[in-house]
Amino acid sequence: MARPTISHVAKRAGVSPSAVSMYLNGRPGLGLETRRRIADAIDELGYVPRASRPRQQATSFIGVLVEKLPKLLTGDIFYADVTSGIQREAEGLGYSIAVSVIDEPTETLPRLVAEGSIEGLLALGGGDITDPLLRLIISSGMPLVTVDNQSDLQPLNSVVVDNYRGAYLATRHLIDMGHRRIAVIQGPRKYKSLTERYHGCLNALIDAGLGVDTELVQRPLSSGVPNKGYREMKALLSRGEPPTAVFAVSDRTALGAIPAIREAGLRVPQDISIVGFDDMPPDVYPAPALTTVTNERLSMGHIAMQRLHSIIKKPHDTPVQVVMPCELVVRESSDRPGNSA
């Protein structure tokens, strides 16, 4: 038999891998009978906790948990930059990185966590990395920091963007230029960051006395690339009088919306201004260069890795949320309504 793991012990004892982790870490919450079964399974299998095994090499591993993306991790600008920041900081601290991908929402411990093969875990992004999964990882005793995600169920260490404020600034920019028919293209609700951006936009409209016209709020109709934003913009334009401006919750959504605007015989920004969020490199995409909200992606990765290293060394530190600032970058895709200059 291959070297036994926590998963093998859990199966033999008839418990979950998280229960085995709790037992090994001396955490409360297990009954005497459960503890006895786990102890018996450990003895029968000859399982040796990772901390007791002689190290074969000096390098320690940390895990990076991500959901399955439409593009490779390195092909998504946001995640590629954050991962690069994590990698650089990890190398400086003496860690190597192991990536774990989940295909769908789950309440099963990731294998890297269940087998105890890592010192700590960075959960990157939201979506399929849900609150119940985060709670399960925390209960296992694994040091955890989330990036671009947070939990509504418990406090945890996280590094997030000030999504609400960024979206508020972007919408305020359109209002200050004189736009009054401002549409918003939402993102999937499973992403907390996109939901925060949506709320930031709505509150900017309300604070300006414009209210929220439900005809100008477009729910997501597509996902992935290259069509993200295209069908949504087509739907907005099918409702009669078009908006004079659009806030899209991501740059990719904004860039998908622009061809739909042009197919309707309209121009950006002369007929419809559009603003995104994430600051994808403007030289990679056709004109007009996109007005957007920028955030410090590399720094997010650095800070997240520093925080993970800190709680590996001091696991009982109080959880901290780091909110990264963002700012509006005005480019060519936004202008005053009706300005054909």
Side-chain angles (χ1 to χ4, degrees), residues 86-155:
I86 291 170
Q87 180 75 49
R88 293 179 193 177
E89 191 65 27
E91 289 175 354
L93 293 169
Y95 296 99
S96 290
I97 290 177
V99 176
S100 179
V101 179
I102 59 173
D103 294 333
E104 58 186 15
T106 178
E107 293 189 28
T108 301
L109 275 177
R111 183 175 178 182
L112 290 174
V113 177
E115 295 187 350
S117 57
I118 55 174
E119 303 289 340
L121 183 70
L122 292 164
L124 177 54
D128 293 339
I129 304 177
T130 61
D131 279 354
L133 177 58
L134 294 174
R135 181 167 53 187
L136 184 64
I137 293 168
I138 291 170
S139 71
S140 76
M142 177 63 64
L144 170 70
V145 176
T146 63
V147 187
D148 195 38
N149 194 4
Q150 53 194 316
S151 174
D152 296 328
L153 300 180
Q154 67 266 302

Side-chain angles (χ1 to χ4, degrees), residues 305-326:
M305 186 62 239
Q306 290 168 359
R307 184 60 189 159
L308 182 60
H309 176 66
S310 175
I311 63 174
I312 289 172
K313 300 301 181 184
K314 297 180 180 179
H316 301 297
D317 277 0
T318 301
V320 173
Q321 182 179 84
V322 178
V323 181
M324 303 295 293
C326 52

Side-chain angles (χ1 to χ4, degrees), residues 56-314:
Q56 301 299 315
Q57 54 186 13
T59 303
S60 298
F61 280 84
I62 60 101
V64 175
L65 181 67
V66 295
E67 69 170 354
K68 188 174 182 180
L69 299 170
K71 300 184 74 173
L72 293 174
L73 185 62
T74 54
D76 183 285
I77 295 295
F78 181 87
Y79 289 130
D81 284 351
V82 172
T83 304
S84 180
I86 291 170
Q87 180 75 49
R88 293 179 193 177
E89 191 65 27
E91 289 175 354
L93 293 169
Y95 296 99
S96 290
I97 290 177
V99 176
S100 179
V101 179
I102 59 173
D103 294 333
E104 58 186 15
T106 178
E107 293 189 28
T108 301
L109 275 177
R111 183 175 178 182
L112 290 174
V113 177
E115 295 187 350
S117 57
I118 55 174
E119 303 289 340
L121 183 70
L122 292 164
L124 177 54
D128 293 339
I129 304 177
T130 61
D131 279 354
L133 177 58
L134 294 174
R135 181 167 53 187
L136 184 64
I137 293 168
I138 291 170
S139 71
S140 76
M142 177 63 64
L144 170 70
V145 176
T146 63
V147 187
D148 195 38
N149 194 4
Q150 53 194 316
S151 174
D152 296 328
L153 300 180
Q154 67 266 302
L156 48 73
N157 289 283
S158 59
V159 181
V160 297
V161 174
D162 195 348
N163 291 291
Y164 177 94
R165 180 175 180 274
Y168 192 100
L169 290 175
T171 308
R172 188 74 236 184
H173 163 69
L174 295 171
I175 294 168
D176 289 346
M177 286 196 302
H179 292 280
R180 295 298 177 264
R181 286 187 57 77
I182 300 173
V184 54
I185 300 178
Q186 296 176 266
R189 290 185 179 179
K190 68 177 183 176
Y191 295 103
K192 297 185 183 77
S193 58
L194 301 186
T195 300
E196 289 170 355
R197 295 173 188 182
Y198 171 61
H199 289 157
C201 172
L202 295 191
N203 282 326
L205 294 172
I206 292 169
D207 288 351
L210 299 181
V212 178
D213 184 345
T214 57
E215 287 295 305
L216 297 178
V217 175
Q218 179 57 50
R219 65 180 180 85
L221 300 174
S222 55
S223 62
V225 292
N227 296 321
K228 192 173 185 179
Y230 176 81
R231 291 175 60 197
E232 290 80 356
M233 194 68 231
K234 295 280 279 189
L236 278 171
L237 293 173
S238 70
R239 296 175 190 155
E241 183 184 356
T244 64
V246 177
F247 170 71
V249 293
S250 70
D251 281 2
R252 199 174 297 283
T253 301
L255 292 167
I258 290 175
I261 294 172
R262 289 173 172 162
E263 287 176 13
L266 301 171
R267 302 163 297 168
V268 176
Q270 294 90 338
D271 299 306
I272 299 179
S273 290
I274 190 161
V275 177
F277 198 120
D278 282 331
D279 195 19
M280 298 171 69
D283 56 337
V284 177
Y285 302 95
L290 191 63
T291 295
T292 184
V293 178
T294 188
N295 44 62
E296 301 178 19
R297 299 185 289 265
L298 279 171
S299 293
M300 288 182 72
H302 283 292
I303 291 170
M305 186 62 239
Q306 290 168 359
R307 184 60 189 159
L308 182 60
H309 176 66
S310 175
I311 63 174
I312 289 172
K313 300 301 181 184
K314 297 180 180 179

Side-chain angles (χ1 to χ4, degrees), residues 23-47:
Y23 174 85
L24 293 171
N25 287 285
R27 296 171 66 90
L30 299 176
L32 291 176
E33 175 60 22
T34 301
R35 290 181 178 277
R36 184 191 63 75
R37 294 205 313 271
I38 294 173
D40 288 347
I42 288 172
D43 288 341
E44 291 168 8
L45 295 173
Y47 172 75

